[in-house]
Amino acid sequence: MVGSTHEALHRIFQKDPALLTKALQRVLEVPFPEPREIAAMNVDLTEIEPVERRVDTLLRAETDEGTYLLVVESQGKPDERKRGSWPYYLAFLYEKYRCEPVLIVTTQSSATAKWAAQPIQLGFPGWESLTVRPLVLGPDNVPVIADEREAVRDVPLAVLSAMTHGRGRQAPAILESLAAALKTIDRDSAAVFVQFVDSCLDDPQAKQMWRDLMTAIQYFWRHPLAEQVREEGREEGREEGREQGRVQERAEMVLRLLEWRGVPVSDPVRERVDACTDLDQLEIWAQRAVHVTDAAELFAEE
């Protein structure tokens, strides 16, 4: 299971390598040639000497214009040590494979994106021996995909959008659109994307909303990522009674979904949901809470 934002922000390109060239062409507007074939490579750049150097993700792209090595580095904050390691990675890869290396940096931070985009120039001013110009994917250029139809058209890009922008006031629309789009692809791929997004959501409210959405569409709790969350619920359930704990958790989820989507919840609606002890009924309301525009619509057919 993916355990960190760092891992998710580069491993998504291992899961869907074509997303990386798409991001270069459409997000960064770099005229990168269309690959005929693209494959993951060994990320270990360790030399015989006991100095370990690893890139985050390394892909080999075969194009009509030649072969390129796509080096993806996930960056959480500025790190001046990269002034040495990134040029080293590129020079080593070129020497080893005799292919042109391209450095792509992914980040959730605008400040880190601005830092990473600065050219690394080695040598004296006006006569640099080496210049490294990273391509950066971050919140200032990755598109915000908050429309369900747009998310369905390009699910991997919608996943990258959620991973990059899954915080603040746009989070509910982004996550709702992606949740709907995941139902249109195969379950194994969706399971991986679910974990990537969960790993990147630092905001506790956004993370909880994402898990609620996945539960509401009867999907999230079937995957490994949910086992930790489910175990926490089981522990709480043992203290208060397993069935009672599940009912209370599902009722809270219904109300959280409405509140996160900006749907006003009146006292009568809240009281009716809290008073319900039928787990199946709460499940129906949870599914409706993803779509209704008025909280009273939860009970429309009753």
Side-chain angles (χ1 to χ4, degrees):
M1 179 171 60
V2 175
S4 70
T5 297
H6 175 92
E7 290 295 297
L9 275 173
H10 70 86
R11 286 194 177 181
I12 186 175
F13 299 114
Q14 296 176 11
K15 168 61 182 172
D16 193 312
L19 174 61
L20 185 54
T21 56
K22 188 185 305 177
L24 294 178
Q25 296 164 348
R26 293 171 50 183
V27 178
L28 299 180
E29 298 183 351
V30 173
F32 190 84
E34 191 67 33
R36 296 190 307 273
E37 180 183 349
I38 188 166
M41 299 178 65
N42 191 335
V43 299
D44 192 346
L45 307 184
T46 306
E47 301 181 78
I48 296 177
E49 293 80 3
V51 178
E52 182 177 309
R53 299 181 186 273
R54 292 177 182 269
V55 296
D56 288 334
T57 285
L58 181 61
L59 305 171
R60 184 185 185 112
E62 302 286 350
T63 77
D64 291 335
E65 299 179 19
T67 300
Y68 295 89
L69 300 179
L70 305 179
V71 184
V72 185
E73 285 281 280
S74 173
Q75 197 67 28
K77 60 183 179 181
D79 183 354
E80 289 306 314
R81 292 175 298 177
K82 299 299 184 180
R83 281 180 50 83
S85 59
W86 284 346
Y88 172 87
Y89 294 162
L90 301 180
F92 177 90
L93 288 168
Y94 181 79
E95 174 63 22
K96 182 175 182 178
Y97 296 106
R98 291 294 166 174
C99 299
E100 299 294 341
V102 179
L103 175 62
I104 301 102
V105 179
T106 60
T107 182
Q108 291 181 308
S109 164
S110 294
T112 302
K114 292 177 182 177
W115 165 82
Q118 296 299 313
I120 299 172
Q121 297 179 320
L122 305 182
F124 62 87
W127 196 271
E128 290 77 14
S129 300
L130 176 64
T131 299
V132 175
R133 297 174 58 202
L135 295 166
V136 182
L137 292 168
D140 295 328
N141 54 21
V142 172
V144 174
I145 298 181
D147 177 78
E148 180 179 329
R149 289 171 297 181
E150 188 177 355
V152 169
R153 282 196 298 269
D154 198 331
V155 176
L157 191 59
V159 173
L160 184 61
S161 175
M163 291 165 61
T164 307
H165 300 285
R167 63 180 67 180
R169 61 184 180 83
Q170 299 181 105
I174 293 172
L175 297 179
E176 287 173 31
S177 299
L178 178 58
L182 286 175
K183 293 187 289 185
T184 67
I185 65 175
D186 69 276
R187 296 187 67 81
D188 289 339
S189 294
V192 176
F193 288 147
V194 166
Q195 296 180 59
F196 285 154
V197 173
D198 189 88
S199 296
C200 285
L201 294 175
D202 297 327
D203 184 327
Q205 289 184 305
K207 187 183 287 285
Q208 185 60 58
M209 180 191 180
W210 178 242
R211 293 179 174 183
D212 287 347
L213 283 168
M214 294 298 96
T215 304
I217 61 176
Q218 298 181 332
Y219 175 85
F220 178 80
W221 286 59
R222 300 180 184 179
H223 298 291
L225 178 63
E227 291 305 317
Q228 178 182 353
V229 182
R230 181 157 50 186
E231 186 60 31
E232 295 171 0
R234 284 173 179 162
E235 291 298 329
E236 183 179 350
R238 291 188 186 102
E239 295 174 2
E240 301 179 3
R242 183 172 298 176
E243 184 67 18
Q244 179 181 353
R246 283 200 295 262
V247 167
Q248 180 179 354
E249 182 181 73
R250 194 57 53 88
E252 291 173 353
M253 183 185 71
V254 172
L255 297 174
R256 277 200 306 268
L257 282 170
L258 292 172
E259 291 168 354
W260 254 95
R261 296 184 57 240
V263 177
V265 179
S266 64
D267 289 340
V269 169
R270 186 179 302 276
E271 291 168 3
R272 182 168 177 178
V273 172
D274 285 337
C276 181
T277 59
D278 186 334
L279 196 59
D280 292 335
Q281 182 62 69
L282 288 169
E283 180 66 41
I284 293 173
W285 290 347
Q287 294 181 44
R288 291 178 183 171
V290 178
H291 305 290
V292 298
T293 57
D294 185 319
E297 294 175 11
L298 291 178
F299 323 120
E301 298 178 7
E302 300 160 31

